[in-house]
Amino acid sequence: MMLTELDPNARVGIFGGTFNPIHAGHVNAITSVHGRMNLDLISVVPAAQNPRKPETEGPTPEQKIEMLKRGLEEYSDFVVIDDRELKRGGPSFTIDTVREYAQTIPPESLYLIIGLDQFEEFDKWRDYKELLTIANLIVVTRPNHNLPFSEEDMPEGLRSLVEAFDRQFVQLSTGRSIEFLRLQDIDVSSTDVRKRMRTGRNVDALVSIAVEEYIREAGIYAHIGPMIGDYEEFTRFCAQVLFEKKAINVRAFDLQGTEAATDFSLIASGTSTRHAVSLAEAVQKAVKEEYNVFPLSYEGASEGRWVLLDYGALIVHVFYDFVRQEYRLEDLWKHGKDLQVKDQTPAPTKA
Ligand code: ATP
């Protein structure tokens, strides 16, 4: 089906995301919403870049579309893939896309579909109140996130818009509504999938075979190695960035030949969660400048207790020092070789 073929009364859902890659949780959300909400069409809109998530390495826009096509092929009678955000480039703001849809689709027929994790921070989205004027919201459950029990559990910025709260259905003063849909939850995220593929674990039941084959064929999460080249040198480079930003207790290990799922590891701490986050950011920035590469995953930056940057054969762990003691990762690496990294910054010379 094409967007342009829509009858003017059609009920249309918009499902956005980074889809890096598309997985069974996405497909479950799409098919369940279609089946239960009586939508005629669901438009899947991959973002060029999520403004609320750190940038990571991944597919090119063309590869992203190809993964979506393969992953959603069997649902083509009610799913379209819309590449407008990829074409627009830069950070993708949902409001820009929904405004375009709203030019032809009346608000009572337009639905934005999001997961509970996204709903929890919905009041941080750009122009979210306008969004809730031109489209309704369908929120699907996601493991480890709870449905709101009452108005008080709603994101703060949304509470003033609530006209009536009835667990599954919230009537808003804008005339629009929020509906909660309980899925048979599938506990998967794109971050998990990337991690599993990188460490050679299977992704059966998490990613369709057609998508998995394409990822492997196109080497989507494997291209980072050649860009980095010598990983020991790269590990020392990252260690130096950490030293320069006053990280504490920086240690690096060569884990080749051990049971570890990666070849090199680097660990350091900050004196506060903010310091830990700024250390990880400094590494991310320096690596981007020097090697022109983003991490495959960048996790934990919102809390700063344990921030993890995944560069394939090197994983960088930056802890808030207090939390580091709890995990004692170095004990896991004692069979590896300690690279004995030292701060290379020349000591200030006396006048
Ligand atoms: P990442 O791990 O890279 O942060 P993700 O798995 O959360 O990615 P996105 O592409 O950011 O995937 O998600 C797109 C939309 O799909 C979001 O609204 C998200 O809440 C929803 N979603 C993602 N995974 C699931 C899941 N397992 N069940 C239900 N909804 C999901």
Side-chain angles (χ1 to χ4, degrees):
M1 195 187 285
M2 307 263 287
L3 275 174
T4 45
E5 290 168 3
L6 277 182
D7 113 31
N9 299 318
R11 287 158 56 89
V12 176
I14 299 174
F15 188 51
T18 31
F19 304 112
N20 178 18
I22 175 160
H23 55 63
H26 298 132
V27 176
N28 185 30
I30 293 169
T31 53
S32 307
V33 169
H34 175 250
R36 284 154 60 185
M37 302 300 292
N38 199 17
L39 297 185
D40 298 290
L41 182 96
I42 296 183
S43 187
V44 175
V45 191
Q49 188 195 320
N50 182 331
R52 295 173 312 281
K53 284 189 188 179
E55 268 196 89
T56 52
E57 282 301 316
T60 62
E62 295 72 30
Q63 289 172 333
K64 207 176 257 190
I65 293 289
E66 190 57 34
M67 289 197 287
L68 284 169
K69 275 192 187 150
R70 294 188 187 208
L72 295 168
E73 201 166 15
E74 57 186 294
Y75 311 107
S76 58
D77 51 335
F78 65 88
V79 171
V80 289
I81 297 159
D82 177 347
D83 64 358
R84 72 183 70 209
E85 292 186 356
L86 295 176
K87 283 195 174 135
R88 201 187 295 139
S92 305
F93 292 99
T94 304
I95 184 66
D96 298 331
T97 300
V98 177
R99 270 190 202 127
E100 288 173 15
Y101 276 76
Q103 284 169 9
T104 48
I105 303 166
E108 60 278 11
S109 306
L110 191 55
Y111 293 82
L112 179 65
I113 305 160
I114 60 173
L116 254 184
D117 57 314
Q118 297 294 314
F119 178 68
E120 284 165 3
E121 48 182 65
F122 194 73
D123 56 355
K124 313 247 167 16
W125 288 31
R126 179 179 282 188
D127 294 333
Y128 66 94
K129 288 189 178 162
E130 182 188 338
L131 263 174
L132 294 177
T133 308
I134 57 180
N136 305 282
L137 209 55
I138 297 175
V139 181
V140 296
T141 52
R142 198 165 177 184
N144 311 318
H145 295 268
N146 297 324
L147 282 170
F149 268 107
S150 66
E151 205 175 314
E152 285 68 50
D153 296 333
M154 303 264 290
E156 206 177 331
L158 261 53
R159 288 182 213 152
S160 62
L161 301 178
V162 175
E163 208 165 76
F165 186 98
D166 178 16
R167 292 292 286 278
Q168 309 297 332
F169 188 90
V170 179
Q171 181 60 50
L172 301 174
S173 54
T174 57
R176 309 278 55 84
S177 64
I178 304 176
E179 281 181 77
F180 296 97
L181 195 69
R182 200 177 276 283
L183 300 182
Q184 293 237 319
D185 282 333
I186 302 185
D187 193 0
V188 57
S189 67
S190 296
T191 305
D192 287 344
V193 171
R194 295 195 299 271
K195 207 184 281 178
R196 294 183 76 90
M197 293 196 79
R198 187 181 66 69
T199 53
R201 280 176 291 163
N202 79 63
V203 289
D204 302 353
L206 303 180
V207 172
S208 81
I209 292 172
V211 174
E212 184 187 349
E213 273 174 7
Y214 178 68
I215 291 174
R216 294 198 193 281
E217 245 168 60
I220 291 179
Y221 301 109
H223 64 287
I224 180 165
M227 292 172 84
I228 287 173
D230 181 335
Y231 264 92
E232 181 172 333
E233 193 181 308
F234 179 63
T235 304
R236 293 185 187 279
F237 171 84
C238 295
Q240 186 55 31
V241 175
L242 291 165
F243 280 121
E244 282 165 22
K245 296 287 171 192
K246 307 273 178 293
I248 337 175
N249 202 1
V250 182
R251 296 188 69 192
F253 296 85
D254 176 346
L255 302 171
Q256 297 179 85
T258 73
E259 300 277 286
T262 185
D263 289 349
F264 291 88
S265 65
L266 177 59
I267 183 167
S269 336
T271 50
S272 64
T273 52
R274 270 183 63 183
H275 187 203
V277 172
S278 75
L279 288 169
E281 275 170 6
V283 171
Q284 188 265 0
K285 196 159 162 269
V287 170
K288 176 66 184 147
E289 274 168 18
E290 189 71 20
Y291 291 84
N292 196 25
V293 82
F294 284 113
L296 291 169
S297 279
Y298 189 156
E299 297 166 50
S302 57
E303 291 186 5
R305 290 164 53 81
W306 177 356
V307 192
L308 185 150
L309 299 171
D310 177 350
Y311 285 108
L314 168 69
I315 309 279
V316 183
H317 304 265
V318 186
F319 281 94
Y320 165 33
D321 199 47
F322 181 68
V323 177
R324 177 171 174 175
Q325 322 298 333
E326 274 176 44
Y327 291 92
R328 305 175 63 89
L329 292 187
E330 289 103 317
D331 290 355
L332 300 174
W333 303 330
K334 60 176 182 273
H335 299 300
K337 182 177 135 206
D338 188 332
L339 292 179
Q340 308 279 350
V341 284
K342 301 234 162 14
D343 189 357
Q344 304 296 321
T345 317
T349 45
K350 282 195 186 128

